Amino acid sequence: MTDVIFREAVRADLPAIVALLADDVLGKARDFTQVDDAYEKAFADVTADPRNQLVVAESGGELVGCFQITYIPGLGRHGAERALIESVRVRSDLRGQGLGRRMMTWAIDQARERGCGLVQLTTDKSRHDAHRFYTSLGFVASHEGMKLPL
């Protein structure tokens, strides 16, 4: 995949993004395949927030991946901003071809250019392949993450 471009998502991308989120072992249980009011509102909120980037990977006019970067200000680490990367998805028929690495490298470069002191992410404990992938990029499992569904 040599012709991939990364760009900010636009409203017309929403159906393809939702499809990518649902086209996943865990996503099948928590995401829908159709755009509804909840997705519309979330898209509007994310894209209106200057501390968020909803990014798509496009190749040959088709969306082949997506992710979100949220920039979090904080007092820790001497006031360093951190970048949180979430909802990383590569179209299922293209996995294992290096697109995920290109996406993550692009996201890390964006955080570095912005002056962030740290890039962080969470990945489900059952995603062993993802753990190996993120480790190969230099991420370290230094903390135990916790979530409380509401």
Side-chain angles (χ1 to χ4, degrees), residues 6 13 15-16 22-23 28 36 41 51 59 68 108 110 113 118 128 131 133-134 140:
F6 299 104
D13 298 325
D23 182 26
K28 287 177 183 169
D36 62 10
K41 181 182 181 326
R51 292 198 176 275
S59 178
Q68 180 176 338
I108 293 165
Q110 293 297 299
E113 288 175 21
L118 181 73
H128 303 293
H131 301 169
F133 169 66
Y134 292 126
V140 176

Side-chain angles (χ1 to χ4, degrees), residues 41-106:
K41 181 182 181 326
F43 182 86
D45 289 347
V46 168
T47 56
D49 185 340
R51 292 198 176 275
N52 279 287
Q53 280 185 287
L54 185 56
V55 179
V56 294
E58 185 179 303
S59 178
E62 294 184 23
L63 261 60
V64 294
C66 65
F67 56 92
Q68 180 176 338
I69 309 173
T70 301
Y71 299 101
I72 306 168
L75 293 174
R77 297 180 180 264
H78 199 233
E81 187 174 60
R82 63 187 62 207
L84 173 66
I85 302 174
E86 289 284 333
S87 300
V88 178
R89 296 292 191 281
V90 171
R91 204 171 74 190
S92 59
D93 63 321
L94 299 174
R95 292 180 189 147
Q97 298 181 29
L99 178 57
R101 182 168 301 278
R102 288 178 64 188
M103 289 168 44
M104 290 300 297
T105 299
W106 189 91

Side-chain angles (χ1 to χ4, degrees), residues 1-26:
M1 300 202 69
T2 58
D3 64 334
V4 176
I5 62 163
F6 299 104
R7 62 172 175 77
E8 295 275 342
V10 296
R11 169 54 189 86
D13 298 325
L14 187 55
I17 294 169
V18 168
L20 284 169
L21 294 174
D23 182 26
D24 175 82
V25 171
L26 298 177

